[in-house]
Amino acid sequence: ETRGLESFANLRDKIFHVGNAALQLSIISEIYHLYPTNTSGDIHLMKVALMSHDSLAYIFVKNGLHECLFDTNADAHILMQGYMEESDLLGAKVWANNDGWMIPGGLDEFHRRVQQYYGDGMCKKLACPQYMGLAAGRLWGHGQKLEGKASEDLQFSMKCIVGALTLTFGLRDAWDMLRPLFLELTLMSPEELRTSYKGVSDLTSNYKKGKK
């Protein structure tokens, strides 16, 4: 009897598509309001930097969400954790040269932007940046997309969580819950992404500025 499993699989796929659409809409809206003079190319670059399979898998594991949905010995997150350890070490060396963040000014500049864009309340939730292994939608040391088995199941699960929260609480409340997971990645402008990660992430050269 496989009817129950088929129904479950269909429901999972529906929740995934809801999550994918909800995440795209929320992230693009966030980017648009933070950087109102962005071109379409700028918005696309920032969207893929936040929503690439590698970024979503990294965020999913970095925040321990895999512990709720995957067995301890599951291949997907074990493989991803190996990539993350390598990329975090590479990113940490670069951040150390900038006083704790990717761009000049380091942690002081990071805190200034969090306060400017999101207010004092978010400063308490986000005391310091943590995604040192991410590089404009890729992982440090991997300028192109990781192999599918490293990120595919993890990013799928991330979008399913987004979909479930959206269906339960509505889009606005769901994004309020999820925003802290993505906020750090919105603090660098498109031009800063292109400059800082030139030659590190293929996405910075794939998505040009374009016209306003």
Side-chain angles (χ1 to χ4, degrees), residues 146-165:
L146 297 179
E147 55 185 313
K149 60 183 179 180
S151 62
E152 192 68 31
D153 288 347
L154 298 171
Q155 67 85 27
F156 185 95
S157 297
M158 182 69 182
K159 290 177 180 177
C160 285
I161 289 176
V162 177
L165 290 173

Side-chain angles (χ1 to χ4, degrees), residues 99-151:
D99 297 322
W101 196 33
M102 187 61 201
I103 59 177
L107 283 177
D108 288 342
E109 178 62 15
F110 175 81
H111 294 147
R112 187 192 69 79
R113 294 189 186 195
V114 174
Q115 199 282 330
Q116 176 185 350
Y117 296 157
Y118 295 102
D120 294 332
M122 193 60 73
C123 289
K124 297 177 182 178
K125 296 180 180 179
L126 197 64
C128 61
Q130 60 173 331
Y131 298 151
M132 63 184 67
L134 283 180
R138 301 299 187 217
L139 268 64
W140 274 101
H142 302 275
Q144 298 182 338
K145 183 180 178 181
L146 297 179
E147 55 185 313
K149 60 183 179 180
S151 62

Side-chain angles (χ1 to χ4, degrees), residues 12 16 20 33 42 84 87 90-91 94 100 103 118 134 138 148 153 171 176 186 196-197 204-205:
R12 184 192 65 169
F16 162 80
N20 184 56
H33 287 97
D42 291 336
M84 288 171 62
S87 63
L90 292 172
V94 178
I103 59 177
Y118 295 102
L134 283 180
R138 301 299 187 217
D153 288 347
L171 180 62
D176 284 344
T186 68
S196 300
Y197 297 110
T204 59
S205 58

Side-chain angles (χ1 to χ4, degrees), residues 22 47 51 69 91 101 127 141 155 183:
K47 186 197 78 170
M51 280 194 65
L69 298 177
W101 196 33
Q155 67 85 27
L183 181 150

Side-chain angles (χ1 to χ4, degrees), residues 38-59:
N38 269 0
T39 65
S40 59
D42 291 336
I43 292 174
H44 205 153
L45 171 60
M46 291 197 72
K47 186 197 78 170
V48 296
L50 270 71
M51 280 194 65
S52 72
H53 287 190
D54 293 355
S55 289
L56 291 180
Y58 183 100
I59 292 169

Side-chain angles (χ1 to χ4, degrees), residues 173-187:
D173 287 345
W175 180 239
D176 284 344
M177 298 175 195
L178 294 162
R179 179 185 282 115
L181 301 181
F182 295 90
L183 181 150
E184 175 183 331
L185 300 181
T186 68
L187 298 178

Side-chain angles (χ1 to χ4, degrees), residues 40-86:
S40 59
D42 291 336
I43 292 174
H44 205 153
L45 171 60
M46 291 197 72
K47 186 197 78 170
V48 296
L50 270 71
M51 280 194 65
S52 72
H53 287 190
D54 293 355
S55 289
L56 291 180
Y58 183 100
I59 292 169
F60 185 79
V61 174
K62 193 75 169 181
N63 290 281
L65 297 176
H66 64 288
E67 296 175 0
C68 304
L69 298 177
F70 285 80
D71 292 335
T72 303
N73 297 321
D75 291 340
H77 72 78
I78 290 177
L79 181 59
M80 188 65 190
Q81 284 172 324
Y83 281 122
M84 288 171 62
E85 288 176 5
E86 175 190 4

